[in-house]
């Protein structure tokens, strides 16, 4: 039997506004267009894995209006058995995209930051040695998830983005695979050059 992949990750509605320029403090501007997408680092990676042929289980939480997020996962072949429905709002972003394709993003965590340890434990009980846990830093209880998954012999895969204080609570030595760009690499290692970042990561986390 093949190893299972569990993605404990965010589920967001992305509200994307086309603007002439990124808003300045105190400014009112008429948008040239607006679109809504299902997104979040968690949802996006689950969909990508499923499209690549992987049987992926998504765990997390949506709010009262989160049905479309669940349908998006299901339509793309993602197992949603471990996604909870909570009172209140789902996570969402408000994204400005200007005429030069530069963007500005405001994130509201919503249900994504309402993970509970009892739920984490009940989900992880369904997985074990050699299975994969994929994480991104858009949910709470990240450090707890890493510790419990590591104890169960799971391979922890971490996208340390967005990089903030929550990640400092995590035992990075328990991570088997990092998926990151030069921004996160710089934050973790203090290095700027990509080759130096890779070298520093290998020294910090040889496993």
């Amino acid at each position: 039997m093949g190893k299972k992949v569990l993605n404990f990750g965010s589920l967001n509605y992305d509200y994307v506004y086309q603007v002439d320029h990124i808003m300045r403090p105190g400014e009112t501007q008429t948008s040239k267009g607006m679109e809504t997408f299902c997104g979040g680092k968690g949802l996006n990676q689950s969909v990508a894995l499923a499209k690549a042929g992987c049987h992926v289980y998504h765990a997390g939480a949506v709010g009262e209006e989160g049905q479309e997020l669940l349908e998006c996962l299901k339509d793309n072949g993602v197992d949603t058995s471990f996604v909870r429905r909570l009172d209140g709002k789902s996570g969402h972003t408000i994204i400005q995209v200007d005429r030069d394709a530069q963007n500005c993003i405001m994130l509201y965590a919503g249900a994504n930051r309402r993970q509970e340890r009892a739920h984490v434990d009940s989900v992880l009980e369904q997985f074990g040695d050699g299975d994969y846990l994929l994480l991104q830093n858009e949910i709470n209880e990240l450090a707890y998830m890493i510790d419990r998954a590591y104890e169960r012999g799971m391979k922890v895969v971490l996208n340390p983005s967005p990089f903030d204080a929550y990640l400092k609570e995590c035992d990075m030595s328990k991570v088997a695979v990092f998926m990151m760009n030069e921004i996160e690499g710089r934050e973790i290692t203090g290095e700027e050059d990509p080759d130096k970042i890779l070298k520093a990561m290998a020294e910090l986390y040889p496993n």
Side-chain angles (χ1 to χ4, degrees), residues 164-177:
D164 59 25
Y166 284 105
L167 289 172
K168 296 179 181 179
E169 302 172 3
C170 300
D171 185 349
M172 298 287 199
S173 70
K174 295 177 180 177
V175 175
V177 179

Side-chain angles (χ1 to χ4, degrees), residues 43-185:
L43 181 145
N44 291 340
Q45 291 186 348
S46 282
V47 169
L49 282 166
K51 286 185 175 181
C54 179
H55 186 183
V56 56
Y57 299 82
H58 194 102
V62 296
E64 299 161 347
E65 82 293 34
Q67 184 61 34
E68 189 176 355
L69 295 169
L70 294 174
E71 291 175 358
C72 177
L73 290 173
K74 292 176 183 177
D75 289 347
N76 283 282
V78 178
D79 189 307
T80 62
S81 304
F82 305 119
V83 179
R84 295 188 303 157
R85 296 286 294 265
L86 304 177
D87 293 337
K89 293 292 186 181
S90 300
H92 70 254
T93 61
I94 294 177
I95 305 173
Q96 300 176 49
V97 181
D98 72 12
R99 60 180 182 273
D100 298 318
Q102 293 296 318
N103 63 43
C104 177
I105 303 173
M106 182 180 70
L107 172 64
Y108 171 71
N112 293 316
R113 292 279 187 187
R114 295 172 60 195
Q115 313 301 327
E116 298 176 351
R117 293 187 177 187
H119 177 62
V120 173
D121 290 339
S122 68
V123 172
L124 292 182
E125 284 176 0
Q126 311 304 313
F127 299 84
D129 189 43
D131 290 336
Y132 290 87
L133 173 64
L134 173 60
L135 298 168
Q136 318 81 27
N137 191 30
E138 289 186 343
I139 59 175
N140 63 312
E141 297 293 0
L142 209 63
Y144 184 81
M145 292 176 189
I146 291 173
D147 291 344
R148 298 291 81 78
Y150 186 81
E151 290 173 359
R152 299 187 67 80
M154 298 180 72
K155 295 181 179 178
V156 179
V157 181
L158 174 65
N159 174 6
S161 176
F163 193 92
D164 59 25
Y166 284 105
L167 289 172
K168 296 179 181 179
E169 302 172 3
C170 300
D171 185 349
M172 298 287 199
S173 70
K174 295 177 180 177
V175 175
V177 179
F178 289 94
M179 296 192 302
M180 62 187 192
N181 62 25
E182 68 277 12
I183 296 173
E184 292 94 47

